[in-house]
């Protein structure tokens, strides 16, 4: 047992059922195919190195036979299995016997002694009796495959002396290919003899699963022998039986894994046991499809070529092992499993927590902890919807209720996070397993469940953000309508107030654009959620692969286009604001918004069952109208800026009579004249201080020029001249 293989056995040194009168089966549970598969994968069989595998089996048999509880029954030497009347060490030199020791042959200590046939009573004492027969069968089969490789090499090469010597390196003397073939056929026949004896013993002392595996292994060994001797009828029968048993074992293991997931055990233990069961189920399914079924198909073809049987007779011959009783038993097991699931989900039938439907796939929820979390999620959703209903209470209680609603909303998000973490851990465990139909199906179901949880969470967040942005958009529309309709004739607005209004409007548009940024990120995440695919291979298909685009992906992409159109519109308005004044960029963004709105409307119309599809299409049409109005305002502002006017859409606030010759929109007032007229500053000249006003008529220009030139000609240019002038 030094190989580290885990083989179920009795305790070391313990012998079971020593009383032969009462035969009580020990019900050994031995994973025959798992043990042999691990041995083959680790000792050269994948590379067709049967010599290494046979050497390993010989060493393994020696260790099994020399275990203390079985050494006297499984070893060949007389030292280990003494006769019943044999004495101790000094029996040969007794006082009354003079020639007992002398009559002993030399070398008898190591002489070979044939073992007796192992009976079920002996095999019931220890598991090594069964393992001895199993490894003996496997060693005979490995030796046969080794000799068969030699035979095929001899037949394939040309017959010359050098090739013959190299081909018969395993034999001690030169021999013919016919003798090599007879040798490996004898080894296969010996393997059949071993497995027939072992099958009777296993049926008596092992449990049902081991019996099924033993019958499957025995049918495969016998089928190989009949295939080599060209007995195609028996080969078809044995391979058909092996194929039937492989499929039956795979289904039974998969059902037991589903049953284990329903039990309320520790999470780690249940996951580990279920993972091992799923891998074992995939192993038998893979063995049936990749190993047994091709051999059965080949045997059917050869039997049909003989001409003794028709195709229908061959088909009925291969189904000889099946019976109606077996089918009825499988139906009863399926009904029991369904009833067990119904009983386990009885507490949540009203809430429909036993399964979900996501992206056209139905996923059953077998884990009790996930079902409980979904029950809590549904309860929290109902409470949140009840809080969202309109109430007639006073404002103070409304504020308290809003805070409670926020707390409940965060609690609901945390519940989705808990489910996501559990399903992510399960998916990680399944990804660590060997791929197979059952494991792939479990991976696919986990990816669907993970995508469903993330989608529900993102759906709630997007719905909340949509409500917030809807409120802001309504406020923005009201302001735009007020600006386009003007203000009453008696109102006035100062430039400072107009600047404050422009800043507030810009911040509001900026806030809407930020909300659409968050919505766009969530919408893109929804479009790339896991769970796509056909459910056959268990491998999801992303939207970027282009291999499959289901209704879910089409709706998600349409929603992405819709949000992009709205985001472009509000970013374009930000660029067109007076504080930014980037009109070319604004016009480009508005044009892109119109294009995206048209594409989004087409994509939404292509989705058949999209929620609120007609309303969304109508909103895209309204967006186009808003884009056209924004483009007109932006082009007007751009023209004003290109003419060098310092005034734009929100400028001085002057009346129309005061700005007839100016590029001035007048701001939000649009007044023709001020009523009453505004006071205006006028330049005044006070007559009291202007004493010379009545005396000075016109200056004598000639005299003043003569006087100035005279002073300039007689001026001194020496040092300190400025001091002498004074």
């Amino acid at each position: 047992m030094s190989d580290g293989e885990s083989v179920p056995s009795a305790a070391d040194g313990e012998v079971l059922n020593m009383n032969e009168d009462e035969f009580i089966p020990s019900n050994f549970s031995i994973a025959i195919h798992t043990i042999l598969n691990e041995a083959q994968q680790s000792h050269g069989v994948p590379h067709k190195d049967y010599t290494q595998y046979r050497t390993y089996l010989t060493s393994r048999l020696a260790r099994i036979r020399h275990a203390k509880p079985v050494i006297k029954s499984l070893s060949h030497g007389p030292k280990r299995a003494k006769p019943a009347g044999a004495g101790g060490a000094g029996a040969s030199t007794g006082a009354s016997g003079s020639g007992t020791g002398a009559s002993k042959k030399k070398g008898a200590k190591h002489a070979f002694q044939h073992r007796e046939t192992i009976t079920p009573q002996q095999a019931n004492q220890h598991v090594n009796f069964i393992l001895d027969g199993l490894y003996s069968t496997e060693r005979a089969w490995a030796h046969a495959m080794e000799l068969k490789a030699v035979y095929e090499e001899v037949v394939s090469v040309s017959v010359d002396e050098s090739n013959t010597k190299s081909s018969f390196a395993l034999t001690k003397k030169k021999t013919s290919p016919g003798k090599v073939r007879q040798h490996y056929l004898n080894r296969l026949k010996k393997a059949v003899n071993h497995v027939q004896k072992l099958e009777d013993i296993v049926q008596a002392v092992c449990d049902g699963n081991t019996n099924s595996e033993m019958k499957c292994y025995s049918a495969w060994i016998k089928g190989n022998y009949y295939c080599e001797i060209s007995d195609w009828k028996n080969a078809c029968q044995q391979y058909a039986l092996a194929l039937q048993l492989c499929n039956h074992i795979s289904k039974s293991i998969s059902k037991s894994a589903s049953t284990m997931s329903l039990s309320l055990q520790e999470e780690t233990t249940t996951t580990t046991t279920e993972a091992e069961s799923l891998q074992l189920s995939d192993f038998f399914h893979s063995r049936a499809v990749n190993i047994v079924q091709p051999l059965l198909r080949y045997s059917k073809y050869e039997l049909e070529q003989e001409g003794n049987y028709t195709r229908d007779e061959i088909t009925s011959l291969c189904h000889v092992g099946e019976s109606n009783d077996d089918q009825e038993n499988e139906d009863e097991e399926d009904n029991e499993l369904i009833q067990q699931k119904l009983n386990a989900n009885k507490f949540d039938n009203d809430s429909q927590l036993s399964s979900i439907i996501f992206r056209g796939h139905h996923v059953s929820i077998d884990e009790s902890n996930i079902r409980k979390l979904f029950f809590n999620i549904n309860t929290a959703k109902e409470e949140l919807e009840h809080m969202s209903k309109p109430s007639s209470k006073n404002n103070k209680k409304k504020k308290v209720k809003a805070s409670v609603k926020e707390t409940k909303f965060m609690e609901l998000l945390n519940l989705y996070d808990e489910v996501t973490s559990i399903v992510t851990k399960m998916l990680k465990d399944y990804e660590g397993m060997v791929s197979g139909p059952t494991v792939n199906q479990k991976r696919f179901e986990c990816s669907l469940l993970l995508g469903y949880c993330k989608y529900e969470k993102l759906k709630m967040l997007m719905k909340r953000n949509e409500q917030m942005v809807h409120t802001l958009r309504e406020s923005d529309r009201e302001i735009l309508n007020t600006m386009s309709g003007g203000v009453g004739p008696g109102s006035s607005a100062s430039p400072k107030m107009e600047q404050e209004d422009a800043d507030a409007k810009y911040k509001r548009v900026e806030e809407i654009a930020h909300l659409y940024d968050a919505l766009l990120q969530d919408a893109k995440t929804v479009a790339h959620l896991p769970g796509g695919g056909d459910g056959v291979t268990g491998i999801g298909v992303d939207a970027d692969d282009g291999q499959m685009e289901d209704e879910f992906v089409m709706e998600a992409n349409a929603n992405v286009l819709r949000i992009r159109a709205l985001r472009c519109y509000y970013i374009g308005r930000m660029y067109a604001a007076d504080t930014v004044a980037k009109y070319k960029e604004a016009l480009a963004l508005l044009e892109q918004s119109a294009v995206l709105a048209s594409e989004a409307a087409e994509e939404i119309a292509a989705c058949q069952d999209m929620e609120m599809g007609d309303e969304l299409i109508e909103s895209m049409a309204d967006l186009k109208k808003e884009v056209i109005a924004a483009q007109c305002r932006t082009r007007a502002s751009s023209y004003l800026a290109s003419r060098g006017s310092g005034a734009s859409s929100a400028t001085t606030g002057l009346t129309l009579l005061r700005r007839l010759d100016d590029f001035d929109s007048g701001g939000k007032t649009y007044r023709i004249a001020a009523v009453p007229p505004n006071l205006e500053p006028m330049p005044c000249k006070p007559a009291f201080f202007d004493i010379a006003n009545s005396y000075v008529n016109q200056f004598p220009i000639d005299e003043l020029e003569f006087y100035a030139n005279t002073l300039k000609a007689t001026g001194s240019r020496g040092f300190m001249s400025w001091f002498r002038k004074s």
Side-chain angles (χ1 to χ4, degrees), residues 56-104:
Y56 161 74
L57 292 172
T58 302
S59 303
R60 187 82 177 97
L61 280 170
R63 291 193 295 273
I64 290 173
R65 292 169 179 173
H66 286 78
K68 187 177 291 185
V70 299
I71 190 171
K72 292 183 179 180
S73 301
L74 293 181
S75 61
H76 290 284
K79 180 181 179 182
R80 299 297 182 189
K82 293 183 180 180
S92 60
T93 57
S96 59
S98 58
T100 308
S103 62
K104 209 173 192 181

Side-chain angles (χ1 to χ4, degrees), residues 692-706:
N693 186 29
S694 301
Y695 301 97
V696 177
N697 293 324
Q698 188 176 3
F699 288 101
I701 302 301
D702 297 335
E703 294 181 3
L704 290 175
E705 288 181 357
F706 176 76

Side-chain angles (χ1 to χ4, degrees), residues 660-675:
L660 290 176
D661 298 328
D662 298 331
F663 291 103
D664 190 350
S665 64
K668 295 168 61 177
T669 58
Y670 298 97
R671 293 172 299 163
I672 298 177
V675 179

